[in-house]
C-alpha cells in the first residue's frame, strides 16, 4: 500500500558544530523552552543565545517544563509566547521540553484553541507556521521528538497521557550537537536510550513497516544495542554519545512514519496512572511484548534476524540481559509496588492501552483480556 514518508523537516543537522547553524537563520525573536537548570549550567543555553544574537535574533527563555509535561505548563507557556510574539520557537531539552514546545506552538498559532481536548483526537491540528517556525535541539537521546510528528501531554486531573500525532508538528529544523548530551547522568542515558531502542523495534515490526522504515529501524536497533551500554558506562566518550544521538534520531524517522506498537500503549498507560518514567516503562515492558509478538510469523522472522546479527539466539532474552546491564528492573512491580491497586485497575489499564493510538500498528492486536494478561506478566515478571 502506498504511504507517504516524511524524513524530517527543512533541515536536519547532526555532528559537531550543528548548533552553529543558528548563526545563519533569519528572524527577529526566538522563544526558547527548557526544563531545568542543567542546560544553563552546561553553558549550552548561553552558546545558543549567543549564536542567535549573532543572527540578530533576540531570545526569551521559558523555564520549568516538568517530566511528562502537563497541559497547564503548555497553556502557561503559550500565554507567555503570545505576549512575546516570537517568529522562532526552540524546544531545547529532552522529550518533555520539545513536546511541550510543540504543544505551546499550537496554542500560540491558534488562540481559539483552549484545552487539551481541543487539540487531541478526533480534533485535528490546524496548519502551523502562520506565526513561527520550530527548531528542536535534543539534549537526551531517546524521544526523537526533534524528527517526530508526535507529542505526549499529560492531563494531571485525569491521570492520563495523551498522545497526539500530526505531520504539522514535524520541527522545521533539528540540530543534534553530540556534546550537549554528554552531561546526562547514567540512569537517564539508560532510560532514554531504551526508549530509542523501543522506537526502533516497534517501527521494525509495525504492520505499516516498509523497505525504507525497515532499513532505518533495523540499523538503529543494531547500533543502539551496541552503543547504549557503552554510553552508559563511558558517558564522557563523545563518540558513544554521538552514535546514540544519531541512531535515536534515525529510529525516530522510522517510527514517526510507520508508528509504534503496544509497548508504547502500555507504557503510556502505566506512565499516566502510576507516574513510571516513559523510557523505564518501555524497557521493562519490551521483552514481554517481544515474546507476545513472536506469535506473528513476520515479527518472529525480524526478531530472529536481529538476534542472529547480534550473535545470539533468543532476541527477548538478549533484551532482558541488556536491561540487566542498564539496571532496568525486570518487572513493573519493582517500580509501582501497589498490588491491590494494580489488580483493581487492571481492566481500566487494559482498556486504555487498547485505545492508545500505538496499538493499531502492533503486529498482533490484543483484545482487552490479552492486554490484561500482558500487564499481569509485565507487573509480576512472569
Ligand atoms: Fe517512546
Amino acid at each position: 500500500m502506498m504511504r507517504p514518508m516524511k524524513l524530517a523537516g527543512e533541515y536536519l543537522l547532526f555532528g559537531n558544530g550543528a548548533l552553529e547553524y543558528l548563526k545563519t537563520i533569519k528572524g527577529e525573536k526566538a522563544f526558547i523552552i527548557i526544563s531545568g537548570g542543567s542546560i544553563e549550567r552546561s553553558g549550552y543555553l548561553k552558546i545558543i543565545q549567543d549564536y542567535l544574537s549573532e543572527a540578530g535574533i533576540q531570545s526569551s527563555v521559558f523555564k520549568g517544563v516538568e517530566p511528562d509535561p502537563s497541559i497547564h505548563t503548555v497553556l502557561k507557556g503559550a500565554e507567555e509566547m503570545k505576549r512575546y510574539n516570537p517568529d522562532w520557537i526552540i524546544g531545547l531539552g529532552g522529550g518533555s521540553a520539545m513536546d511541550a514546545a510543540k504543544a505551546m506552538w499550537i496554542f500560540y498559532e491558534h488562540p481559539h484553541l483552549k484545552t487539551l481536548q481541543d487539540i487531541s483526537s478526533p480534533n485535528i491540528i490546524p496548519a502551523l507556521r502562520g506565526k513561527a517556525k520550530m527548531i528542536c535541539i535534543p539534549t537526551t537521546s531517546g524521544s526523537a521528538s526533534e524528527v517526530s510528528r508526535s507529542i505526549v501531554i499529560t492531563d494531571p486531573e485525569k491521570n492520563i497521557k495523551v498522545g497526539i500525532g500530526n505531520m504539522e508538528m514535524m520541527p522545521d529544523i533539528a540540530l543534534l550537537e553530540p556534546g550537549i548530551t554528554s552531561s546526562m547522568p547514567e540512569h537517564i542515558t539508560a532510560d532514554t536510550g531504551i526508549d530509542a531502542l523501543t522506537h526502533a523495534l516497534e517501527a521494525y515490526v509495525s504492520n505499516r513497516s516498509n523497505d525504507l522504515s525497515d532499513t532505518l529501524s533495523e540499523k538503529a536497533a543494531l547500533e543502539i544495542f551496541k552503543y547504549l551500554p557503552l554510553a552508559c558506562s563511558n558517558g564522557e566518550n563523545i563518540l558513544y554519545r554521538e552514535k546514540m544521538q544519531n541512531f535515536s534520531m534515525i529510529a525516530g524517522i522510522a517510527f514517526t512514519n510507520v508508528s509504534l506498537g503496544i509497548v508504547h500503549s502500555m507504557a503510556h498507560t502505566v506512565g499516566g496512572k502510576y507516574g513510571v518514567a516513559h523510557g523505564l516503562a518501555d524497557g521493562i515492558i519490551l521483552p514481554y511484548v517481544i515474546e507476545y509478538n513472536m506469535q506473528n510469523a513476520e515479527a518472529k522472522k525480524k526478531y530472529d534476524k536481529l538476534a542472529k546479527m547480534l550473535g545470539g539466539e533468543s532476541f527477548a532474552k538478549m533484551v532482558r540481559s541488556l536491561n540487566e546491564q542498564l539496571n532496568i528492573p525486570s518487572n513493573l512491580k519493582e517500580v509501582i509496588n501497589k498490588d491491590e491497586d494494580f489488580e483493581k485497575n487492571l481492566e481500566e489499564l487494559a482498556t486504555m492501552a487498547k485505545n492508545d493510538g500505538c496499538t493499531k500498528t502492533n503486529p498482533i492486536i490484543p483484545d482487552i483480556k490479552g492486554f490484561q494478561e500482558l500487564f499481569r506478566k509485565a507487573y509480576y515478571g512472569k
Side-chain angles (χ1 to χ4, degrees):
M1 182 183 179
M2 196 290 286
R3 277 187 192 278
M5 298 271 288
K6 189 164 171 68
L7 309 178
E10 256 174 65
Y11 286 103
L12 169 60
L13 287 95
F14 48 98
N16 201 12
L19 287 180
E20 290 187 42
Y21 182 75
L22 291 171
K23 293 192 235 175
T24 69
I25 62 173
K26 307 257 178 292
E28 285 173 14
K29 283 180 179 179
F31 191 80
I32 306 173
I33 294 104
I34 64 171
S35 285
S38 64
I39 192 72
E40 287 172 280
R41 287 192 299 276
S42 70
Y44 274 104
L45 180 60
K46 184 170 181 333
I47 292 173
I48 286 163
Q49 290 192 285
D50 286 349
Y51 286 160
L52 289 168
S53 295
E54 272 190 58
I57 296 173
Q58 55 164 284
S59 54
S60 172
V61 179
F62 177 88
K63 235 190 267 187
V65 177
E66 69 277 43
D68 304 322
S70 75
I71 183 62
H72 306 305
T73 304
V74 167
L75 293 173
K76 192 174 149 215
E79 283 311 308
E80 278 193 31
M81 223 180 251
K82 285 174 202 166
R83 282 193 292 272
Y84 189 66
N85 205 24
D87 48 7
W88 284 103
I89 296 164
I90 303 181
L92 168 62
S96 303
M98 292 189 285
D99 282 11
K102 290 179 183 175
M104 288 172 193
W105 186 24
I106 307 170
F107 291 106
Y108 168 58
E109 295 264 344
H110 299 282
H112 69 281
L113 301 173
K114 306 265 183 231
T115 65
L116 184 54
Q117 188 54 51
D118 288 344
I119 62 165
S120 41
S121 171
N123 296 315
I124 290 171
I125 309 272
L128 302 175
R129 297 171 181 80
K131 294 180 180 173
K133 292 213 279 187
M134 166 72 59
I135 298 174
C136 277
I137 304 173
T139 59
T140 61
S141 298
S143 77
S145 194
E146 72 275 13
V147 288
S148 90
R149 64 190 179 105
S150 26
I151 56 173
V152 180
I153 302 297
T154 297
D155 181 336
E157 277 71 44
K158 293 186 190 152
N159 280 336
I160 50 166
K161 283 187 171 189
V162 181
I164 304 163
N166 187 301
M167 268 310 168
E168 277 299 312
M169 286 190 284
M170 174 71 88
D172 298 285
I173 296 169
L175 302 176
L176 284 75
E177 180 77 43
I180 211 168
T181 64
S182 60
S183 56
M184 241 194 305
E186 193 179 329
H187 75 281
I188 299 192
T189 306
D191 288 1
T192 52
I194 206 81
D195 184 29
L197 178 67
T198 309
H199 294 156
L201 293 171
E202 296 216 281
Y204 193 45
V205 300
S206 158
N207 61 24
R208 277 191 209 161
S209 65
N210 56 52
D211 288 343
L212 177 50
S213 66
D214 279 357
T215 305
L216 299 170
S217 56
E218 182 183 292
K219 178 75 173 166
L222 294 170
E223 298 292 323
I224 293 169
F225 232 92
K226 175 174 165 191
Y227 285 106
L228 178 53
L230 293 170
C232 280
S233 53
N234 306 275
E236 68 299 329
N237 183 308
I238 201 75
L239 174 76
Y240 301 158
R241 293 296 194 181
E242 184 170 4
K243 292 289 181 189
M244 280 307 299
Q245 193 178 43
N246 288 346
F247 287 104
S248 158
M249 170 267 287
I250 290 167
I253 294 174
F255 92 72
T256 213
N257 282 287
V258 300
S259 196
L260 294 162
I262 60 173
V263 179
H264 271 78
S265 311
M266 294 170 70
H268 291 153
T269 304
V270 292
K273 202 84 184 162
Y274 296 108
V276 186
H278 175 65
L280 183 64
D282 275 345
I284 297 171
I285 295 165
L286 181 59
Y288 300 96
V289 169
I290 292 173
E291 280 163 353
Y292 176 80
N293 286 347
M294 288 287 276
Q295 300 169 76
N296 174 278
E298 267 304 298
K300 181 180 183 308
K301 211 163 91 187
K302 286 180 163 175
Y303 294 134
D304 287 346
K305 183 180 177 196
L306 286 179
K308 204 169 158 202
M309 289 168 99
L310 289 163
E313 272 174 30
S314 155
F315 191 62
K317 253 192 211 162
M318 296 174 79
V319 171
R320 286 211 161 87
S321 73
L322 177 68
N323 275 346
E324 224 170 278
Q325 276 184 72
L326 301 175
N327 293 317
I328 291 174
S330 60
N331 59 67
L332 288 169
K333 184 175 155 81
E334 280 186 49
V335 289
I336 298 174
N337 204 20
K338 288 184 181 161
D339 295 7
E340 218 175 288
D341 191 73
F342 173 78
E343 289 294 335
K344 196 181 79 206
N345 288 332
L346 198 52
E347 190 168 345
E348 188 193 343
L349 296 172
T351 308
M352 284 166 78
K354 170 98 183 151
N355 293 336
D356 189 282
C358 296
T359 296
K360 59 181 181 290
T361 39
N362 202 65
I364 314 167
I365 296 170
D367 57 14
I368 301 285
K369 236 183 122 233
F371 267 116
Q372 285 179 325
E373 269 170 41
L374 271 168
F375 270 119
R376 267 219 178 88
K377 278 188 184 160
Y379 184 88
Y380 296 104
K382 284 171 193 154

